[in-house]
Amino acid sequence: MKQPSELSYFDAGSLIGVLTDQPLDRMLDYKAPKGGVFLGAFVEVPLGPRKVIGVVWGSGKGGYDLAKTRTVSRVLDLSPMRSEMRQFLARVADYTLSPLNAMLRLATRAPGLADPPSMRKVYALGEAALKRETAARTRVLDVLRAHNGLRFTKKELADLASVTGSVVDGLVKLGALLELETPRDTTYPKLDPMMAGLQLSDSQKSGSEALRISVATQKYATTLLKGVTGSGKTEVYLEAVAECLKQGRQALVLLPEIALTVAFLDRVEKRFGARPAEWHSGVTMTERRRCWRMVGEGGAQLVVGARSALYLPFQNLGLIVVDEEHDTSYKQEEGVFYSARDMAVLRASLNNASVVLASATPALETWANAASGKYARVDLEGRFGVAELPDMKAIDLRAEAMEPQSWISPTLVHEVQTRLNKGEQSLLFINRRGYAPVTVCRACGYQVGCDDCDARMVEHRFHGQLICHQCGKTQPLPTACPNCDVEGRMAAVGPGVERLEEEATRRFPDARIAVLSSDMALTARALKERIHTIANGDADIIIGTQMVAKGHNFPLLTCVGVIDADLGLQGGDLRAAEHSFQLIRQVAGRSGRAQKRGVAYIQTHQPDHPVIQAILEGEEEAFWQAEADQRRMAGVPPYGRLAGIVLSGPDLKVVFDVASYLSRNAQGLHNIGAEVFGPAPAPIARVRGRHRVRLLVKAEKTIHIQPALKAWRNSVKLPRDVRMQIDIDPQSFY
Ligand code: ADP
Ligand code: ZN
């Protein structure tokens, strides 16, 4: 076990405070075990009849019968939690108003941490020469010779050589193979930062040099790395990773989506000669455990992961990259409500580490922080290889002769057909899963809604079901109206991605059409392969949801059609314009990534809408400036503070009463200059049978609202069944 840098040590029998992962709002006192224990050590402690995991957080409180205080059962074989990590967890807990033990749960999300270090058998070349060679035996030895010095488990070796395990056993008996015991959690293969990268363009060079210097100084700094999709942001931040590895420090790259991870691993392997550690919901439990342990022991130099990788126990973190930093999936909206982007900045500042926020369309927060000088900013020029973004053209749906029950305008049909004739790819984008958003009865007008939610049921023809996108509840498609019992008049209204596919198939019967939507429930690897074959020309028309907007490369694509650009403009929430702008630009950026210039067609009923105008004219800075001015005037983020409070419960009146009480008794908040709005029914007023009521707390940017919010929250004892969620810096307002 490695010793922590701070040598706070508690002698056997002394009173210590332990933070457990149990839902208790305080530390528990224990006696240090025989041999004593370091501050930060992971321990197992008795709690009632059970044993639970905890971390030694400090001295115990004491104040009661010491004789009754129980003793730590055992110190786990894990590197103690470092003081920066403890500080980080405490700061996130304070900022998000979350209990510390919820933070500890986030920081220990790997199985088997309390298990003793386990061993496994691996095989290496032995000394003895074979007297009698067989094809199978030779294959096994060849595999080992080909992977000079590498060791494999029996299964790996047998699979690679296409033999049965008994061939391996036989070779061991003959002395041609050695059987060795090694710890199960092995270090990750070494990445080599000295390998040569690509020849960078001038703009890429100066960008990567700025990032490299920032990493080399080993001081905290955040840089916005801005460049259109395809400008080489990944290439550039890999140079920052290289510098970090050269310094002997660890790097973390956060990606918004698992599908992107797989492609990224290949690029890391090309650049550094080996694959990094992975941390996301798609990795096996064994790998999770290995990753967690190796990050803590320094056996992993680079981790690629989802937002929760922020809570891994890095030993010496030097760089965090948040790729596609504007992506909404970086905001966790359950349990601990946090923004991984913002918490990455916090974590780096506690570790003297650098942060790179990469995006073609930064979040307004990030843009504003760069504008005010809080973050540095690096701009990459144009695209690598080709100079320009696609042309943007609006298709004014008011002027198009749209056929009933169709969503692809004649103009767009013509453009797609032209590409088909030339053997080029088109992408049709609609940000709506399923077949149709509404199922209505033509006889009585009834719309099928979810029984438990204030939401319509969405038809998914692919699954043959109606699905509630709020709670996931499913029901069969009714043939008769649930309201008026009339048979055969239920109709689908509006388009979803499946319906768009149907229309495309009808209009372009000879085209090869591929759908990319999260509904397809492919594994990360299968999805990557799918995307790969599509990118290589296996489809003429790609039909996709939001998923296609995220960083994938489609070099043959020259035409993008945004089916309904108005969808995002109606949101009514603070970030509707921003998100719409980002999404449409990202999608448009899929086109013309290789040699051929692309065009993006935006179907809209409002070609004069400021957001659509900004997109068409490519006036990004103007768009952000205008959006920033509006937010500044309204005093909302990033120029003001917001906290969203959602109360929910099965009884609407009870929930409303609690909310009203809170709203009327907010003196503590008023005293610091904060305002409280509401209560109001939430936009989605019922989810899973629970009524939802919102309050909004608003304050000036300079006000630190958390202490007053906390006191306010604790001033009411919630009725049973009523839950309160506080979301600091809310992203969505549903
Ligand atoms: P971004 O992250 O900005 O979308 P990437 O780093 O993925 O851009 O680059 C887009 C494509 O261009 C990738 O296939 C990448 O390998 C290639 N590319 C970028 N820069 C260079 C370069 N300097 N030399 C060769 N290929 C490059
Ligand atoms: Zn529902």
Side-chain angles (χ1 to χ4, degrees), residues 105-119:
R105 282 198 294 281
L106 274 178
T108 51
R109 282 222 301 229
L113 294 183
D115 296 351
S118 62
M119 307 293 279

Side-chain angles (χ1 to χ4, degrees), residues 426-551:
S426 301
L427 163 71
L428 299 178
F429 170 79
I430 182 153
N431 197 16
R432 226 190 226 148
R433 296 181 294 131
Y435 183 81
V438 184
T439 304
V440 67
C441 170
R442 291 242 184 271
C444 74
Y446 172 82
Q447 299 185 356
V448 184
C450 175
D451 291 339
D452 299 331
C453 304
D454 179 24
R456 296 189 187 110
M457 296 295 277
V458 178
E459 180 180 349
H460 285 245
R461 215 158 263 197
F462 183 71
H463 296 290
Q465 279 174 326
L466 295 176
I467 303 179
C468 170
H469 284 186
Q470 293 308 321
C471 71
K473 189 175 168 145
T474 59
Q475 68 182 64
L477 253 179
T479 50
C481 175
N483 186 48
C484 70
D485 289 332
V486 173
E487 279 280 342
R489 299 293 305 278
M490 302 305 291
V493 178
V497 65
E498 293 175 7
R499 197 170 203 183
L500 189 60
E501 179 194 14
E502 194 178 87
E503 182 178 349
T505 309
R506 177 162 55 78
R507 290 188 186 278
F508 312 106
D510 300 327
R512 295 165 304 160
I513 295 178
V515 178
L516 281 176
S517 155
S518 54
D519 284 334
M520 300 189 315
L522 293 176
T523 63
R525 220 153 271 279
L527 184 59
K528 187 220 161 187
E529 257 154 46
R530 187 94 191 88
I531 290 173
H532 190 72
T533 51
I534 292 173
N536 281 336
D538 198 38
D540 305 310
I541 300 176
I542 307 162
I543 298 192
T545 59
Q546 183 145 333
M547 216 176 84
V548 298
K550 298 185 182 180

Side-chain angles (χ1 to χ4, degrees), residues 241-374:
V241 171
E243 179 63 31
C244 179
L245 301 185
K246 281 182 201 161
Q247 307 270 330
R249 305 182 86 193
Q250 293 168 298
L252 168 63
V253 174
L254 296 181
L255 297 174
E257 211 199 325
I258 306 180
L260 294 174
T261 315
V262 196
F264 183 75
L265 297 174
D266 294 342
R267 289 181 72 166
V268 170
E269 190 168 8
K270 277 215 189 89
R271 179 67 181 78
F272 301 120
R275 296 190 155 231
E278 274 181 83
W279 179 270
H280 52 74
S281 60
V283 303
T284 62
M285 283 298 161
T286 332
E287 270 306 301
R288 270 180 102 80
R289 181 184 120 135
R290 175 185 181 207
C291 181
W292 196 96
R293 280 184 173 251
M294 286 305 131
V295 166
E297 292 171 18
Q301 296 159 282
L302 170 62
V303 178
V304 177
R307 60 182 184 226
S308 61
L310 263 186
Y311 301 97
L312 285 170
F314 289 95
Q315 215 186 33
N316 187 3
L317 184 60
L319 170 68
I320 306 176
V321 177
V322 185
D323 201 353
E324 310 274 350
E325 62 88 35
H326 60 277
D327 198 284
T328 50
S329 70
Y330 284 123
K331 180 67 191 284
Q332 171 154 308
E333 294 184 331
E334 58 184 16
V336 179
F337 285 55
Y338 69 92
S339 149
R341 178 192 63 225
D342 298 351
M343 296 309 119
V345 169
L346 171 62
R347 176 138 203 204
S349 71
L350 296 170
N351 282 263
N352 294 316
S354 292
V355 179
V356 174
L357 305 178
S359 177
T361 53
L364 187 69
E365 272 82 354
T366 305
W367 181 88
N369 280 328
S372 73
K374 202 168 145 200

